[in-house]
Amino acid sequence: MGAPAILILALLPLLQVEDGTTLPRFFLFLGRFHPTLLHLPVALLLLALLLEIFHLPPLRRLVPSVPSRSFDFVLWLAALTAFGAALAGWLLAHEGGYDPELLGRHLWSGVATGIGAFATIILRALARAQPDRGVLPRVATAALVGTCAAMIFAAHAGGGLTHGEDYLTEHAPAPIRRLLGLHVPRDRSREPLRTIAEREAFDGVALRILEDHCAACHSPGKFKGDLRLDTYEGVLEGGQAGPVVLAEKPGSSPLLLRVQLALDDKQHMPPKGKALSKREVGLLRAWIDQGAERPVDADVPGRRERIAA
């Protein structure tokens, strides 16, 4: 039973039923159960890992041992619910509207979780059938640990699809962000409070908006599209698709066009959950309309640099 399940799971990421519009509505209905089903294998696999930890020699005397059949029962439930969650997730993916790269990571890691659960069951069965091969129980334990690691990665990717890719790390302290290679926002807590009218147009207004909504994906830590939006020079240079800001032409500037697309549009930026408010869009529009300029030398009053139209 485990081998056919593993084969089906392995094929899921490779199968695509056109754009999903040809799928019967009943199958799309089943796909909506994915968020409900996925919590079952998460809890059961973590329980199995906890039982395996309690089976370690230092803990055997402290915690009563769990019968092998009970352990296998938990693993079977985990594998079957992971299989169902993967199938439902595959159906749900056909509705579209998801970031393709993030969806791919979530799908592959989710499939790996199901495959790992069935592989652990098979390895434990082989270990019982061949008790003289002492390496098999250790391999089964390693498979369970790897399965839980894949599950955690899948859960993180799934959370990114729902809440935005940086949902987990959005408020992480600077040391943790540096450890993960993420952009560390500028600490503005000690800057004097000023009204928008008193602030410098780029550093005090436009850059703050870009830092809040764009720098997580367009900074040295994550250089999507070869575009940096955490510095004036990065905005000036643009990315793979060319300039993103055209001075005095807010209606033609790709940056403004992308942030004003419909939220369900695949080209909309920033990702879901990070959309700019109308006020922020208006402030960026005003900055671009006024020449998209920034003082570059505080010692030379009035000296300004502009993004070429």
Side-chain angles (χ1 to χ4, degrees):
M1 182 177 178
I6 289 175
L7 178 61
I8 293 172
L9 288 171
L11 290 175
L12 282 183
L14 307 177
L15 300 176
Q16 179 72 27
V17 185
E18 297 181 4
D19 60 355
T21 57
T22 57
L23 279 178
R25 292 180 62 85
F26 178 71
F27 289 115
L28 295 177
F29 164 72
L30 293 179
R32 294 294 181 93
F33 284 91
H34 175 67
T36 301
L37 290 173
L38 63 85
H39 293 89
L40 296 173
V42 170
L44 291 167
L45 283 172
L46 290 178
L47 174 60
L49 182 62
L50 185 64
L51 294 176
E52 186 71 12
I53 292 173
F54 287 158
H55 189 66
L56 295 174
L59 298 177
R60 287 179 184 175
R61 298 177 181 179
L62 302 177
V63 182
S65 61
V66 177
S68 180
R69 288 186 178 181
S70 300
F71 189 88
D72 289 338
F73 179 71
V74 172
L75 278 176
W76 268 109
L77 285 180
L80 292 173
T81 53
F83 184 83
L87 282 178
W90 179 77
L91 293 173
L92 183 62
H94 284 79
E95 290 192 12
Y98 300 102
D99 177 74
E101 181 182 347
L102 191 56
L103 177 62
R105 294 203 298 266
H106 180 56
L107 181 56
W108 276 105
S109 53
V111 163
T113 301
I115 291 175
F118 281 109
T120 303
I121 292 171
I122 293 173
L123 288 168
R124 284 179 57 82
L126 289 174
R128 286 194 300 272
Q130 304 177 40
D132 55 317
R133 300 185 63 180
V135 69
L136 286 176
R138 292 193 291 272
V139 174
T141 299
L144 177 59
V145 173
T147 299
C148 289
M151 176 193 68
I152 292 172
F153 184 85
H156 176 61
L161 285 172
T162 306
H163 303 291
E165 195 168 357
D166 64 338
Y167 177 74
L168 180 62
T169 58
E170 181 179 6
H171 303 296
I176 294 179
R177 296 186 68 87
R178 291 192 187 96
L179 182 63
L180 297 175
L182 300 174
H183 168 70
V184 179
R186 184 191 310 186
D187 184 7
R188 295 183 178 269
S189 60
R190 297 184 179 182
E191 295 182 4
L193 295 176
R194 295 174 180 171
T195 64
I196 288 180
E198 296 173 323
R199 297 178 192 170
E200 196 281 318
F202 180 75
D203 290 317
V205 180
L207 182 58
R208 285 177 180 249
I209 297 172
L210 297 176
E211 285 176 342
D212 289 342
H213 298 279
C214 309
C217 295
H218 298 286
S219 66
K222 199 166 189 179
F223 207 8
K224 281 193 174 181
D226 292 336
L227 173 64
R228 285 189 61 174
L229 295 176
D230 63 326
T231 66
Y232 184 81
E233 292 72 24
V235 177
L236 178 72
E237 184 176 349
Q240 289 178 345
V244 294
V245 169
L246 303 176
E248 300 178 359
K249 296 180 181 179
S252 303
S253 296
L255 177 65
L256 272 184
L257 294 176
R258 294 286 291 273
V259 301
Q260 294 181 93
L261 291 173
L263 292 177
D264 58 353
D265 192 307
K266 293 182 179 180
Q267 298 298 316
H268 177 272
M269 288 294 167
K272 185 177 179 181
K274 285 286 187 178
L276 276 68
S277 66
K278 291 183 178 179
R279 180 172 178 270
E280 290 170 324
V281 172
L283 290 170
L284 286 179
R285 178 182 294 278
W287 170 65
I288 296 173
D289 191 44
Q290 294 169 9
E293 51 188 310
R294 182 198 74 170
V296 294
D297 192 339
D299 296 329
V300 184
R303 181 181 173 189
R304 309 182 79 82
E305 183 175 317
R306 295 176 57 178
I307 296 178

